[in-house]
């Protein structure tokens, strides 16, 4: 289907075209009609599936069609990075419309607070806010949220993990009951359902089935400190000549360099593939890997998506991938019709929680293999950052699930009024 089949207003369609959006993603196609029809919606779909536009487009459309005074929509998000990201997308979609928006988030000084205050008072139509900061504004009395028609809770799972539930409930209790509420989340544990029942009214539930790894992939993981990862890799690869193609994904170019050198020193035919190389050279190495002349490739995860290589015997995630989709994508490279592949992931204490999320997403408990005896000293402390294997980490404020989208940090932009 195409975007114009939703019956969007012309200036919004123009914005979509300018943004290069041609057709809706699955979650957009499933949720936009219900949102346009005025229903509450809770949608669960993994990261990167286009949830932002799924809620922004119908809201912008409504504001173009029936403009109203004051703050019309409130989008609550867990982090300032996300607030800025959404603000940016919104700016693109609404470029040809008179809709105005403001991102409101903590960690900034009095001048920005003033700016935010003005936007709230003068009625930016859409506020994108982190819970704490919004509460500060509300406590000072000038934030009139009685005009709100739309409430969006984005990344609801993450907000609950970060301990924002009480803040959110306090905010929600100040909003008009007659409103449309939309909840978006990458996972839908019972906890979220319970939370949603308090806030949404007879919601339509949308679930986008997650892609799961093929069954014939043997998945396992090692808990290991960063300082033991090189040795563990060598231990796994030494003397395994039967492995024709091995690919190792590491989190940075530097790690790629170091690991490659160390494997080469141990006499293994390993080559690095990272953005350090010229395109030609990269392609040449990949060609040699495909043809079986280079058995081991070490690559940055940045490149993992672009590498079109199949038929790999072993994938090693030297670092835990950013999200479940990346994980599934990477280990999918081992899937071959006639044979089963192996995917091993190295988890340090810091990445435990992230890996747990990946397990939740793919609904699979991945087996932990104890480190070989001579490397046992590299076993991470139990209960380190990110909590243990149970869900005990919940409820507390946890920083840094996943990587922050670093580049948006410089954004002192904050918001805009047209
Ligand atoms: P999610 O919130 O589900 O993690 P996002 O909404 O951030 O995902 O979207 C992921 C990326 O996909 C963004 O870069 C966004 O611009 C892009 N995107 C979303 N929907 C479409 C679409 N219909 N056509 C093209 N690109 C899209
Ligand atoms: Mg999102």
């Amino acid at each position: 289907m195409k975007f114009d089949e939703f019956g969007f207003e012309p200036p919004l369609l123009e914005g979509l075209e300018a943004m290069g959006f041609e057709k809706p993603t699955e979650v957009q196609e499933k949720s936009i009609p219900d949102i346009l029809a005025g229903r509450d919606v809770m949608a669960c779909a993994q990261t990167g599936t286009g949830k932002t536009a799924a809620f922004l487009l119908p809201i912008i459309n409504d504001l173009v069609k029936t403009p109203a005074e004051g703050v019309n929509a409130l989008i609550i998000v867990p982090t300032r990075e996300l607030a800025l990201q959404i603000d940016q997308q919104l700016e693109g979609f609404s470029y040809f419309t008179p809709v105005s928006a403001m991102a409101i988030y903590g960690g900034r000084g009095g001048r920005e607070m003033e700016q935010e205050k003005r936007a709230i008072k003068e009625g930016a139509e859409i506020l994108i806010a982190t819970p704490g900061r919004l509460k500060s504004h509300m406590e000072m009395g000038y934030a009139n949220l009685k005009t709100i028609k739309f409430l969006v809770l984005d990344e609801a799972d993450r907000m609950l993990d970060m301990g924002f539930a009480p803040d959110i409930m306090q905010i929600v209790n100040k909003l008009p009951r007659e409103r449309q509420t939309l909840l978006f989340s990458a996972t839908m544990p019972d906890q979220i359902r319970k939370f949603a029942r308090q806030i949404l009214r007879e919601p339509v539930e949308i679930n986008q089935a997650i892609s799961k790894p093929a069954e014939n992939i043997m998945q396992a993981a090692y808990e290991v400190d960063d300082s033991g990862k090189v040795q563990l890799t060598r231990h796994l690869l030494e003397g395994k000549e039967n492995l024709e193609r091995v690919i190792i994904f590491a989190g940075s170019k530097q790690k790629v360099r170091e690991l490659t050198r160390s494997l080469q020193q141990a006499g293994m035919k390993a080559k690095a593939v990272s953005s350090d190389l010229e395109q030609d050279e990269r392609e040449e190495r990949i060609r040699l890997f495909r043809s079986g002349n280079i058995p081991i490739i070490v690559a940055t995860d940045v490149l993992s998506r672009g590498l079109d290589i199949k038929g790999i015997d072993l994938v090693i995630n030297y670092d835990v991938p950013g999200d479940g989709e990346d994980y599934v994508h990477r280990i999918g490279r081992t899937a071959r019709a006639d044979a089963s592949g192996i995917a091993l992931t190295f988890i340090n204490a810091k990445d435990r929680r992230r890996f747990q999320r990946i397990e939740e997403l793919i609904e699979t408990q991945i087996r932990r293999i104890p480190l070989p005896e001579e490397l046992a000293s590299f076993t991470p402390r139990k209960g380190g950052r990110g909590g243990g294997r149970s869900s005990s980490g919940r409820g507390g404020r946890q920083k840094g699930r996943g990587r922050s989208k670093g580049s948006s940090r410089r954004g002192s932009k904050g918001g805009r009024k047209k």
Side-chain angles (χ1 to χ4, degrees):
M1 90 174 278
K2 288 256 175 66
F3 277 110
D4 54 14
E5 292 171 52
F6 291 123
F8 285 149
E9 298 294 305
L12 177 56
L13 288 173
E14 254 181 282
L16 278 164
E17 199 184 321
M19 296 269 285
F21 279 40
E22 283 169 13
K23 54 186 181 56
T25 64
E26 188 183 335
V27 69
Q28 291 161 6
E29 194 171 325
K30 284 181 172 165
S31 52
I32 289 174
D34 283 313
I35 301 176
L36 287 172
R39 298 285 308 264
D40 280 8
V41 168
M42 57 192 279
C44 174
Q46 65 192 89
T47 309
T49 49
K51 296 189 288 298
T52 314
F55 60 79
L56 283 183
L57 299 176
I59 291 176
I60 298 169
N61 192 65
D62 181 86
L63 300 189
V64 173
K65 219 167 140 184
T66 46
E69 288 293 301
V71 180
N72 278 241
L74 172 63
I75 300 167
I76 304 182
V77 299
T79 63
R80 71 161 129 183
E81 282 81 11
L82 188 58
L84 285 166
Q85 254 181 51
I86 294 175
D87 189 41
Q88 259 165 24
Q89 278 210 43
L90 199 151
E91 193 165 6
F93 296 139
S94 64
Y95 191 80
F96 300 99
T97 77
V99 171
S100 66
M102 179 82 188
I104 287 180
Y105 50 87
R108 298 188 299 171
R111 209 167 63 93
E112 285 83 5
M113 192 85 185
E114 271 308 304
Q115 237 176 15
E116 292 177 3
K117 174 177 169 184
R118 220 175 315 127
I120 295 170
K121 281 171 70 170
E122 290 169 12
E125 284 138 310
I126 304 179
L127 300 181
I128 307 152
T130 53
R133 182 71 158 206
L134 180 63
K135 260 184 56 187
S136 311
H137 283 292
M138 289 170 76
E139 279 155 14
M140 288 189 272
Y142 47 76
N144 176 12
L145 302 178
K146 292 285 169 229
T147 48
I148 282 188
K149 295 192 280 185
F150 296 98
L151 168 66
V152 179
L153 303 171
D154 192 24
E155 300 210 0
D157 49 355
R158 204 165 154 197
M159 291 206 282
L160 291 203
D161 275 353
M162 290 169 79
F164 283 142
D167 284 355
I168 294 171
M169 287 314 297
Q170 278 183 34
I171 295 167
V172 169
N173 287 333
K174 297 263 162 46
L175 302 180
R177 275 175 202 283
E178 276 307 315
R179 60 162 198 266
Q180 190 177 354
T181 308
L182 314 171
L183 179 146
F184 286 80
S185 192
T187 56
M188 202 55 77
D190 285 345
Q191 208 194 359
I192 300 258
R193 277 175 209 287
K194 255 194 240 156
F195 182 67
R197 270 200 290 276
Q198 302 174 56
I199 301 177
L200 282 77
R201 253 197 251 180
E202 297 171 27
V204 178
E205 257 194 74
I206 286 153
N207 276 296
Q208 181 174 325
I210 51 143
S211 41
K212 285 193 197 167
E215 303 247 310
N216 59 346
I217 302 173
M218 203 285 279
Q219 302 173 65
Y222 290 91
E223 301 218 342
V224 56
D225 287 331
D226 283 346
S227 52
K229 286 180 176 179
V230 170
Q231 277 164 271
L232 179 58
T233 310
R234 284 180 51 171
H235 169 86
L236 290 168
L237 298 179
E238 249 153 19
K240 308 277 165 54
E241 271 74 34
N242 57 329
L243 294 174
E244 268 175 52
R245 286 189 200 84
V246 177
I247 190 156
I248 305 170
F249 292 113
S252 70
K253 282 192 265 187
Q254 197 196 339
K255 285 188 195 180
V256 167
R257 275 196 298 269
E258 286 169 6
L259 178 62
T260 310
R261 201 173 312 128
S262 155
L263 294 177
Q264 287 167 345
Q265 278 164 1
M268 293 179 214
K269 281 168 84 180
K271 288 278 185 204
V273 173
S274 79
S275 51
D276 277 349
L277 299 176
E278 295 295 326
Q279 178 76 15
D280 287 354
E281 210 173 348
R282 226 151 59 195
E283 277 167 16
E284 173 66 7
R285 287 189 184 180
I286 290 166
R287 203 183 54 73
L288 288 171
F289 181 67
R290 272 207 200 96
S291 62
N293 291 305
I294 299 177
I296 304 168
I297 284 277
V298 187
T300 44
D301 42 9
V302 182
L303 278 182
S304 71
R305 296 252 170 168
L307 294 174
D308 183 24
I309 311 171
K310 290 242 166 61
I312 293 166
D313 303 301
L314 169 64
V315 168
I316 296 178
N317 290 313
Y318 195 77
D319 300 296
V320 173
D323 58 46
E325 211 185 352
D326 269 341
Y327 179 79
V328 172
H329 191 76
R330 284 194 207 172
I331 74 167
R333 298 175 181 290
T334 65
R336 264 198 293 189
D338 58 334
S340 54
I342 299 174
L344 301 174
T345 302
F346 295 177
I347 310 167
N348 64 20
K350 196 160 67 57
D351 290 338
R352 271 192 196 129
R353 179 71 193 124
R354 181 137 48 101
F355 195 67
Q356 241 172 287
R357 277 185 175 282
I358 291 175
E359 291 179 296
E360 280 165 23
L361 200 72
I362 61 174
E363 293 174 354
T364 309
Q365 278 271 315
I366 292 165
R367 191 161 62 91
R368 304 298 193 270
I369 305 177
L371 290 175
E373 213 166 303
E374 66 270 27
L375 301 178
S377 60
F378 295 110
T379 309
R381 269 186 312 116
K382 281 290 166 206
R385 226 192 100 182
R389 302 237 44 236
S390 73
S391 57
S392 61
R394 300 220 163 168
R397 267 173 207 245
Q398 288 184 343
K399 281 183 70 181
R401 168 211 159 199
R403 280 159 303 182
S404 63
K405 306 269 179 349
S407 62
S408 42
R409 287 191 120 248
R410 71 190 137 71
S412 57
K413 169 188 164 257
R416 103 202 89 88
K417 290 276 295 169
K418 279 183 207 151

